[in-house]
Amino acid sequence: MSQFFSPREVATALGVSESSLKRWVDKGLIPAQKTGGGHRRLPLDSVLRYVRRERMVLAKPEAIGLPPGTGESSAIDHAAGIEFLTALREGDEDKSRRILLDAFLGGEPVSTICDRMVAPAFHRMGELWRCNEIEVYQERRACEVCLRVIHELRRATGSGSANAPLALGATLDGDPYTLAVSMGEVVLRDLGWRAVSLGNMLPFETLHRAIETDRPRLMWLSVTSIRDDDRFIASFNTLFDTASSWGCALVVGGQAFTTELRQRLRYTTHCDTFGHLAAFAETLHPSERRGAH
Ligand code: B12
């Protein structure tokens, strides 16, 4: 997604004249850069943001390196879910990328894409794994493919303005799950936050430092796996104390948050879905409903 394209290539992809496209660039509608020789160069993520905002249909996505057919169907339905699961299972990155980009370009909020496309596909993969119907290598490859596409969406959502609130996210010590924490980042960026995932398996102590040093308005934590409940609860509650003393909302979600565990924890809010995260984030910092939703 760090690729750059010429006005001619982008015009071909969008099915418009090169002169119209140059006019849009010069009006600042599609942020672009200029080469030393004064030629306009358009980053793919700017183009995707524009297409999404204007609900344009891509005439020739191949011209900007996207899989053929990108943008043709944006439905998030049962059929698209099956197609996505099959693509992930087969390691078909082009198809996985096209399906998620379609939904994105069609104006679906990223939270909906994560909750209704990505999470169900991986839940199903977990069932297939339990029934020995999928190989471990297929599951791991699916994670890799999906992470790459999520990162692509991440770039297309932009990085938030300098005065947007900061959010930091992570998984905790011993928790190797990477997808949900990466999704939290894109969901918040889609709403205009400066969201930064710190990655997975972070020791509690370093999250205290991150809060004190970077002063995020929100920290999202995804928890799928806990080694030792009692130690986890004690460390977690101390982290909440630090977060609240610095005015940072602690937002938690993930499969390990059972009702019993939650009763012993302190946090600002627990979310079952990324839609909940988006709704909560909006209460702290209403977005300008960036993108097309
Ligand atoms: C991929 C995967 C792995 C990969 C992860 C790789 C990676 N890079 O992330 C690896 C290889 C590490 C792995 C390992 C293991 N796994 Co595993 N894994 C999965 C799988 C298939 C997908 C997990 C995932 O990413 N799901 C997608 C996310 C998005 O879904 P989600 O977490 O439910 O998120 C939703 C909500 O919870 C919420 N949410 C989640 N976090 C947050 C955070 C915030 C802030 C918010 C707002 C919302 C939110 O939003 C999402 C809804 O849209 C699951 C199946 C499943 N049911 O998920 C099994 C699964 C979790 N794994 C399982 C098991 C058994 C294991 C292993 C023990 C296997 C083994 N024998 O080694 C190890 C344990 C590792 C460990 N230390 O814990 C079991 C757990 C059973 C249990 N309850 O104990 C599952 C359920 C599979 C199964 N059906 O049996 N696994």
Side-chain angles (χ1 to χ4, degrees):
M1 286 281 284
S2 51
Q3 300 137 286
F4 287 81
F5 294 93
S6 69
R8 182 192 297 262
E9 288 166 321
V10 176
T12 307
L14 301 190
V16 299
S17 70
E18 199 178 333
S19 58
S20 304
L21 190 99
K22 284 181 175 166
R23 212 168 40 247
W24 297 341
V25 170
D26 294 342
K27 279 188 185 165
L29 297 174
I30 309 181
Q33 297 182 3
K34 282 209 170 153
T35 62
H39 298 289
R40 301 169 189 83
R41 283 288 171 267
L42 289 82
L44 180 57
D45 43 306
S46 299
V47 176
L48 292 185
R49 269 202 297 283
Y50 184 73
V51 170
R52 186 188 196 208
R53 198 171 59 233
E54 300 300 323
R55 297 276 171 94
M56 293 182 85
V57 175
L58 290 167
K60 204 164 189 301
E62 306 90 290
I64 50 172
L66 297 174
T70 303
E72 269 172 20
S73 137
S74 59
I76 295 191
D77 54 18
H78 184 67
I82 302 273
E83 203 192 356
F84 184 58
L85 174 65
T86 309
L88 281 178
R89 192 175 173 170
E90 291 170 356
D92 187 338
E93 184 158 346
D94 262 6
K95 196 181 262 180
S96 310
R97 188 172 174 232
R98 180 184 57 66
I99 295 167
L100 293 196
L101 276 178
D102 277 358
F104 179 79
L105 294 175
E108 290 290 354
V110 172
S111 54
T112 306
I113 299 173
C114 293
D115 287 335
R116 293 190 37 212
M117 293 289 290
V118 183
F122 279 90
H123 292 168
R124 179 75 188 119
M125 227 172 273
E127 288 164 21
L128 293 171
W129 172 80
R130 206 157 26 92
C131 304
N132 284 326
E133 286 179 36
I134 190 173
E135 286 292 334
V136 169
Y137 84 87
Q138 291 177 302
E139 182 209 77
R140 303 279 164 90
R141 182 175 64 191
C143 287
E144 293 298 308
V145 164
C146 197
L147 276 175
R148 285 196 286 273
V149 183
I150 290 170
H151 284 194
E152 194 158 347
L153 290 182
R154 174 181 173 275
R155 288 192 57 106
T157 50
S159 50
S161 64
N163 56 0
L166 176 69
L168 298 178
T171 78
L172 298 162
D173 228 356
D175 187 331
Y177 289 87
T178 50
L179 285 174
V181 69
S182 298
M183 288 188 217
E185 186 181 40
V186 202
V187 166
L188 290 168
R189 285 166 70 116
D190 194 36
L191 298 171
W193 285 66
R194 274 186 304 130
V196 180
S197 165
L198 303 174
N200 60 344
M201 307 219 272
L202 272 83
F204 278 98
E205 306 78 60
T206 201
L207 292 177
H208 288 264
R209 300 291 88 75
I211 292 171
E212 290 158 1
T213 312
D214 290 358
R215 313 273 180 87
R217 181 74 192 81
L218 182 156
M219 178 172 274
W220 79 95
L221 297 174
S222 178
V223 183
T224 313
S225 161
I226 297 175
R227 283 192 190 142
D228 176 329
D229 275 8
D230 290 333
R231 283 180 58 182
F232 178 87
I233 291 164
S235 307
F236 190 94
N237 287 338
T238 314
L239 183 66
F240 174 71
D241 292 338
T242 299
S244 46
S245 71
W246 290 95
C248 168
L250 202 57
V251 183
V252 300
Q255 298 179 35
F257 281 106
T258 57
T259 312
E260 300 75 53
L261 181 70
R262 273 160 46 203
Q263 284 168 356
R264 299 174 64 194
L265 293 175
R266 293 197 297 276
Y267 46 80
T268 313
T269 186
H270 167 262
C271 301
D272 288 315
T273 66
F274 288 109
H276 294 160
L277 172 65
F280 177 75
E282 289 279 45
T283 66
L284 298 183
H285 173 67
S287 71
E288 295 153 16
R289 283 278 147 207
R290 296 160 16 120
H293 52 277

